[in-house]
Amino acid sequence: MWHVVAAGFLFFPGLYQLCIRCARRALPGWLEADYSLLSSRIVSSIHGVIAAVSGITVITSCKDVKYDRHWLATAYLWLIIPYMVYDTYAMYLRHWYKCKDSKVLNGKDHFSSAMNSLLRKEFLMLVHHISILTILVPIGLFIRGDIGDFYIGCLLVAELSTPFVSLGKILIQMNLQNSLLHKVNGAFVLLTFFACRILLFPFMYHAYGKQFGIPLYKVPFNIPLHCNITIATIMAPQIYWFTLICRKAIRLYSNSASIKDR
């Protein structure tokens, strides 16, 4: 599968550079940080679509949730490696451009300023990326053995919300936060995030219980403890992010209602 890793290291940075070139032509006058931010969000959206389609394919192909196999489950775990490495560097690059464009370095070089900004503003996302690379990917590739492709597919489907989240940020970046498209997209963000990142985990328990004839509430007591711990660890940040999304949605639709009442 090393060819998948190599292809990923070519595809994601190449797509990022292509988006930057197109953005420079379509939106002259923007700062480099804006081009970088827009391009990284487009790449994230494309990755989210590819991951979700792959996950749905795996889920629908695996009738036995424990033992059925599908080659996409393993292949995409290899592809996640270059994507996470690329996305981590893209996050750093955005902050590097931002420091350079603002010319506020406080006596520090670009690297130090960009790293401080990255760690301060995107610490949780960095932890998320590092955890996937150092814990989830090794478990999925080398420890789980020949079981659990169905659940790998479920985790890939979680990326279905990413294109809507990215589109919302792009619309804000282009000063379209008051547009109808932004409000409709906000509803899709809530729906897809809740369905694919919150309800996903009860669905995984339900699928296991349905196959083995175990009631949903008893499933956690009939699977290994480390499985419950892994699911809880993955689910915790999703709940936190969903809370943030709900707060933003309340502000968005509250502001819209107040404007209509005037």
Side-chain angles (χ1 to χ4, degrees):
M1 288 294 181
W2 291 109
H3 63 284
V4 176
V5 177
F9 275 116
L10 291 175
F11 176 72
F12 294 115
L15 182 59
Y16 172 79
Q17 290 297 327
L18 176 62
C19 290
I20 283 186
R21 291 191 178 186
C22 293
R24 285 172 180 162
R25 292 185 179 183
L27 301 164
W30 276 25
L31 297 175
E32 286 298 320
D34 294 325
Y35 293 135
S36 178
L37 186 58
L38 176 64
S39 300
S40 62
R41 285 170 176 168
I42 293 173
V43 176
S44 294
S45 297
I46 293 173
H47 169 262
V49 172
I50 297 173
V53 171
S54 299
I56 292 171
T57 301
V58 173
I59 291 173
T60 55
S61 299
C62 294
K63 306 305 179 184
D64 187 311
V65 301
K66 187 174 182 179
Y67 294 107
D68 277 359
R69 305 301 310 276
H70 194 286
W71 65 271
L72 266 176
T74 300
Y76 213 93
L77 285 174
W78 286 106
L79 189 64
I80 285 175
I81 296 173
Y83 173 74
M84 288 298 169
V85 172
Y86 144 78
D87 199 46
T88 302
Y89 179 70
M91 283 194 294
Y92 162 76
L93 202 58
R94 293 198 299 270
H95 290 273
W96 189 91
Y97 280 128
K98 186 176 181 179
C99 292
K100 181 180 179 182
D101 291 339
S102 64
K103 298 180 181 179
V104 180
L105 301 179
N106 298 321
K108 301 178 182 179
D109 58 24
H110 285 165
F111 175 78
S112 298
S113 298
M115 284 300 299
N116 289 337
S117 178
L118 175 64
L119 291 172
R120 185 174 63 256
K121 297 180 179 180
E122 306 201 51
F123 178 77
L124 185 58
M125 189 59 69
L126 281 174
V127 172
H128 174 259
H129 282 35
I130 293 172
S131 298
I132 289 176
L133 284 174
T134 60
I135 300 176
L136 294 183
V137 169
I139 289 175
L141 290 175
F142 307 115
I143 298 177
R144 70 184 176 97
D146 296 330
I147 61 175
D149 281 14
F150 174 87
Y151 298 105
I152 297 297
C154 289
L155 295 178
L156 294 179
V157 170
E159 291 297 322
L160 184 62
S161 63
T162 300
F164 299 104
V165 173
S166 296
L167 177 58
K169 293 179 178 179
I170 290 172
L171 291 172
I172 293 174
Q173 186 179 356
M174 301 183 74
N175 296 318
L176 295 173
Q177 59 268 30
N178 295 321
S179 66
L180 177 61
L181 177 59
H182 185 252
K183 295 179 177 62
V184 172
N185 182 73
F188 277 102
V189 169
L190 285 170
L191 178 63
T192 56
F193 202 100
F194 182 68
C196 299
R197 291 180 180 255
I198 304 298
L199 291 183
L200 172 71
F201 298 99
F203 168 75
M204 293 165 67
Y205 281 108
H206 168 74
Y208 185 92
K210 182 180 179 181
Q211 177 167 317
F212 294 98
I214 304 171
L216 177 61
Y217 69 92
K218 289 186 177 181
V219 172
F221 305 101
N222 285 270
I223 61 176
L225 178 62
H226 65 267
C227 294
N228 290 314
I229 293 174
T230 300
I231 290 176
T233 303
I234 297 173
M235 189 175 181
Q238 312 305 324
I239 295 175
Y240 171 74
W241 283 320
F242 184 68
T243 302
L244 296 181
I245 291 173
C246 288
R247 290 176 181 173
K248 291 180 180 178
I250 292 172
R251 290 197 300 268
L252 173 64
Y253 295 112
S254 298
N255 292 338
S256 300
S258 62
I259 291 173
K260 290 181 180 180
D261 292 339
R262 292 177 183 175

